Amino acid sequence: MAKNKINTSVLSGFVELLPQSQFVFDTVKSIIENTYKNAGFVAIDTPTIEKSEVLFAKAGGETEKQVYRFTKGDNDLSLRFDLTVPFARYVADHYANLTFPFKRYQIGKVYRGERAQKGRYREFFQADIDIVAENNLSIMYDVEIISTIIQTISKLSSQFNLGNFKVKVSNRKIWDGFFKQFGFDDTKKVESVAIIDKRYKFKTEDDFKAELKEKIGDEKIFNLAMALLKIEYIPNVGISIPESHYNDFSFIKDNELMREGISELETVMKYLPLSNTEVDLSIVRGLDYYTGTVFETYLQNYPEFGSVSSGGRYEHLCDFYTDKIICGVGGSIGLSRLFIPLIEDGKIQIDTSMTDIVILPQNENCYTSAIKIKTELNEKVDAKVNVIFENKKFKKMMEYANKINAKFAIIIGDDELQNNTFTLKNMITGEQQTISSITLIKTITKTLNK
């Protein structure tokens, strides 16, 4: 009686890529990593599994509901839901051995049990950069984080023809000061800010206005909130409030939080390229640990992806882990969210083979020679070299070389073995020649360098 076979499909919200797609994805990841490195950030890594108390110290509510949590023995454990909270724990734990300001990058998988859909996964890669310092952190580091994100997205856009993008920048202090001005308690402020943060997720602007108006209650305050959403940055002028509401915002001169937020926002915008940035107070970010500058990035050709990069300033993230005052600012690119759908839809392709050179020994007598030339190529040529140990007909082996898009095929048969030569076939031009190992390496190197 036949055994029932186990269903091998991947869990919903988890992704496996075929080799060619994985190669493209890894190339994207490499571009991001190299850009981060060249911008002065150093690599760290943190465990995928953390103590639940560590992760939930600064995260609760909806975030906590999405965390994968389990017990092992007496340990209450969770899979990390982002890279920022584990980084805060890392800084507190290794404080004595770090030099501040400390600039790090980390690219790794995180886990959230949200509803799986295209572009939203339960296991996904984030590519983060952060800058932290003791006691205070210059607002110019906010500029550096956003500038590095712009540089990275620009490289990716140029490489993969993603088109134009905009980084929308705001400051949490402006809304904190606004709602404090009108006596909102923490609960009502958080709920109002959450609606503003979802502005672009409403089907229509009228739907957004209706929900925000209901939450705020007071029509005058609601109208002021809508006016605040219209402010913009004007070069050499600064933050501009709509003229029709100028007198309505006279209270700002006595509102310290709003003045700080506006001043910080003006400073950040002063040093950023206007071609890629704009002020948008709808951006407030959902996570509670942001305290100042916040930003989100949108590809204009792919609005369906929503924000593909985001981040902001956090002043008190390490408070639960240490008595030291650690200030930070960071940004993250949603590597999986953006690129996996583009790769799967064939919108991103790379004209580069996964194998540069495939060595095809024709029988077991040729295996020693195949291994020897592979070792020599690995030492002397910057190329990906593959050996196929298969007793198949020559035609089948050449079909294999074509399927893996090899640039060169090195054929070793009895004749080559007897004459101490190799047959080299250029799989792109079809040119074929029988040559010595020295000439083979020179020919391959010259061609690959072109």
Side-chain angles (χ1 to χ4, degrees):
M1 183 176 179
K3 293 182 179 179
N4 292 329
K5 300 298 182 183
I6 296 173
N7 187 341
T8 59
S9 61
V10 176
L11 290 169
S12 175
F14 292 74
V15 178
E16 283 182 340
L17 299 175
L18 290 172
Q20 184 65 44
S21 295
Q22 186 67 53
F23 181 80
V24 178
F25 184 83
D26 288 345
T27 302
V28 172
K29 186 152 65 75
S30 178
I31 291 172
I32 295 174
E33 183 171 20
N34 289 334
T35 307
Y36 286 175
K37 282 182 182 178
N38 292 339
F41 294 83
V42 296
I44 70 163
D45 194 17
T46 58
T48 303
I49 301 174
E50 295 272 6
K51 297 174 184 176
S52 295
E53 62 182 320
V54 169
L55 295 184
F56 297 148
K58 285 294 289 183
E62 291 301 315
T63 301
E64 186 171 345
K65 294 176 184 177
Q66 294 178 0
V67 171
Y68 286 97
R69 188 173 184 175
F70 57 96
T71 57
K72 180 68 173 176
D74 295 332
N75 296 312
D76 182 2
L77 307 171
S78 294
L79 298 180
R80 64 191 182 196
F81 62 86
D82 74 357
L83 299 177
T84 306
V85 176
F87 174 56
R89 192 266 313 147
Y90 177 98
V91 172
D93 202 28
H94 301 284
Y95 171 84
N97 298 311
L98 298 177
T99 302
F100 296 98
F102 178 56
K103 303 181 180 183
R104 74 98 195 205
Y105 80 85
Q106 183 176 359
I107 302 175
K109 287 182 176 181
V110 298
Y111 300 84
R112 296 181 191 174
E114 58 184 349
R115 185 172 67 87
Q117 53 186 303
K118 187 169 184 177
R120 283 196 174 273
Y121 308 106
R122 292 170 177 167
E123 178 189 61
F124 55 98
F125 275 94
Q126 284 188 332
D128 283 20
I129 47 174
D130 288 89
I131 304 172
V132 295
E134 301 173 90
N135 299 321
N136 59 70
L137 188 71
S138 168
I139 192 68
M140 291 305 299
Y141 289 119
D142 297 36
V143 175
E144 182 176 0
I145 287 290
I146 298 175
S147 296
T148 303
I149 292 294
I150 290 173
Q151 183 182 13
T152 307
I153 299 292
S154 294
K155 284 187 177 181
L156 294 171
S157 180
S158 175
Q159 178 86 14
F160 304 113
N161 195 29
L162 301 181
N164 297 326
F165 65 93
K166 279 288 183 182
V167 179
K168 296 177 181 287
V169 188
S170 181
N171 193 294
R172 286 282 289 257
K173 291 178 181 176
I174 297 174
W175 284 114
D176 288 343
F178 177 83
F179 289 118
K180 184 178 180 180
Q181 178 73 28
F182 297 104
F184 281 40
D185 61 29
D186 286 344
T187 300
K188 190 172 181 179
K189 182 196 78 171
V190 168
E191 291 174 348
S192 299
V193 165
I195 295 171
I196 294 169
D197 186 53
K198 295 188 294 184
R199 182 183 185 183
Y200 298 121
K201 295 180 181 179
F202 284 88
K203 289 184 178 180
T204 67
E205 180 74 355
D206 287 340
D207 290 341
F208 161 68
K209 289 179 180 179
E211 188 162 334
L212 183 61
K213 186 175 183 179
E214 182 180 355
K215 177 55 62 180
I216 290 177
D218 186 289
E219 186 166 359
K220 180 181 178 181
I221 300 174
F222 165 74
N223 288 334
L224 285 176
M226 292 305 301
L228 201 57
L229 287 168
K230 295 178 182 178
I231 73 169
E232 57 184 355
Y233 174 78
I234 300 176
N236 302 318
V237 174
I239 295 299
S240 174
I241 294 172
E243 188 175 350
S244 58
H245 290 276
Y246 188 77
N247 291 330
D248 296 328
F249 286 99
S250 59
F251 62 82
I252 290 178
K253 67 179 183 294
D254 298 316
N255 190 307
E256 184 177 359
L257 266 178
M258 291 191 75
R259 284 190 288 106
E260 281 184 10
I262 289 171
S263 176
E264 290 175 1
L265 187 54
E266 287 177 333
T267 300
V268 169
M269 292 301 297
K270 177 182 177 181
Y271 293 99
L272 293 176
L274 292 179
S275 58
N276 295 115
T277 57
E278 64 182 24
V279 165
D280 187 341
L281 290 199
S282 302
I283 307 303
V284 288
R285 305 290 293 126
L287 295 172
D288 292 338
Y289 52 66
Y290 291 113
T291 57
T293 301
V294 285
F295 68 90
E296 293 190 357
T297 309
Y298 296 85
L299 297 177
Q300 293 173 311
N301 288 353
Y302 299 96
E304 66 273 18
F305 288 122
S307 174
V308 298
S309 172
S310 59
R313 162 78 64 136
Y314 43 87
E315 300 288 355
H316 307 289
L317 189 62
C318 292
D319 288 3
F320 284 88
Y321 315 126
T322 178
D323 292 331
K324 305 292 184 182
I325 300 175
I326 305 295
C327 308
V329 59
S332 177
I333 295 175
L335 186 53
S336 298
R337 180 176 181 178
L338 172 60
F339 285 99
I340 286 178
L342 292 175
I343 292 169
E344 289 179 336
D345 290 347
K347 294 177 180 176
I348 288 184
Q349 296 179 347
I350 298 178
D351 187 20
T352 303
S353 63
M354 293 181 289
T355 298
D356 295 311
I357 306 162
V358 60
I359 302 171
L360 305 174
Q362 299 298 289
N363 54 58
E364 291 184 13
N365 296 332
C366 306
Y367 287 174
T368 299
S369 180
I371 292 171
K372 183 178 178 182
I373 193 62
K374 180 182 187 298
T375 302
E376 195 170 353
L377 285 165
N378 287 150
E379 291 174 351
K380 297 180 179 179
V381 181
D382 183 16
K384 300 178 286 290
V385 186
N386 193 1
V387 183
I388 304 304
F389 298 105
E390 296 286 338
N391 291 319
K392 293 182 178 179
K393 292 183 178 179
F394 179 73
K395 182 180 178 181
K396 287 289 184 182
M397 297 181 81
M398 293 307 297
E399 287 177 357
Y400 177 87
N402 276 317
K403 282 184 178 180
I404 63 173
N405 295 319
K407 294 174 181 152
F408 291 99
I410 298 174
I411 302 153
I412 309 172
D414 290 333
D415 289 344
E416 286 82 8
L417 204 60
Q418 184 175 349
N419 297 314
N420 197 24
T421 58
F422 301 90
T423 297
L424 177 66
K425 181 170 183 176
N426 186 318
M427 299 299 293
I428 299 173
T429 65
E431 180 185 357
Q432 183 170 305
Q433 54 186 316
T434 300
I435 52 180
S436 67
S437 62
I438 295 175
T439 306
L440 178 141
I441 290 173
K442 286 181 179 179
T443 302
I444 288 176
T445 301
K446 183 178 179 180
T447 306
L448 290 178
N449 286 340
K450 286 182 180 180

